[in-house]
């Protein structure tokens, strides 16, 4: 079967590239969901209150930085990783409760810092 050998090699190479080109599905923990959404929310608050003309550029910069921090290839990868929250209202509610608690803790620590 020496004549089939190049065919098998080509099929192997094609298969290798197909497997490697498929996006690996990222499964985030509840803590990771919370941290990412909290960072996105803080960034959005900063953007809303910013006195810049092009808020879309600022939003893009924040989103790119969040992708870097959490090791996402790009914004599309980040969006795909957050999609389970859209289809699981119970998980979203749970994450929202944890976020609310973290935001309260941040607000309390800011108040204590200002008092000192």
């Amino acid at each position: 079967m020496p004549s089939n050998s190049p065919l098998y090699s080509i099929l192997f190479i094609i298969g290798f590239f197909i497997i490697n080109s498929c996006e690996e599905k990222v499964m985030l923990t509840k803590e990771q969901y919370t941290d990412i959404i909290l960072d996105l929310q803080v960034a959005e608050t900063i953007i809303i209150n910013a006195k810049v003309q092009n808020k879309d550029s600022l939003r893009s910069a924040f989103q790119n930085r969040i992708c870097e921090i959490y090791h996402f290839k790009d914004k599309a990868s980040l969006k795909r990783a957050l999609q389970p929250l859209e289809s699981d209202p119970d998980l979203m509610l749970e994450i929202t409760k944890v976020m609310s608690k973290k935001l309260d803790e941040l607000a309390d620590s800011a108040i204590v810092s200002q008092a000192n």
Side-chain angles (χ1 to χ4, degrees), residues 2-56:
S3 63
N4 288 339
S5 184
L7 178 62
Y8 287 121
S9 297
I10 291 170
L11 290 175
F12 175 79
I13 292 169
I14 291 171
F16 177 80
F17 283 113
I18 289 172
I19 290 171
N20 284 331
S21 68
C22 294
E23 289 279 332
E24 185 177 318
K25 195 162 191 157
V26 177
M27 295 301 298
L28 299 175
T29 65
K30 290 176 186 174
E31 184 175 324
Q32 288 170 319
Y33 277 126
T34 303
D35 290 344
I36 292 168
I37 293 173
L38 191 58
D39 284 349
L40 288 168
Q41 186 62 43
V42 169
E44 192 62 29
T45 301
I46 292 168
I47 293 162
I48 289 169
N49 293 310
K51 296 182 184 339
V52 296
Q53 293 293 333
N54 194 345
K55 292 187 180 196
D56 289 339

Side-chain angles (χ1 to χ4, degrees), residues 65-77:
R65 181 63 183 131
I66 289 169
C67 286
E68 288 176 27
I69 291 169
Y70 294 101
H71 308 290
F72 289 102
K73 185 174 81 174
D74 53 25
K75 290 183 267 189
S77 300

Side-chain angles (χ1 to χ4, degrees), residues 38 41-42 96-109:
L38 191 58
Q41 186 62 43
V42 169
T96 303
K97 287 179 183 177
V98 174
M99 278 181 42
S100 180
K101 184 177 177 181
K102 282 190 172 191
L103 286 171
D104 288 344
E105 290 170 0
L106 285 171
D108 290 345
S109 68

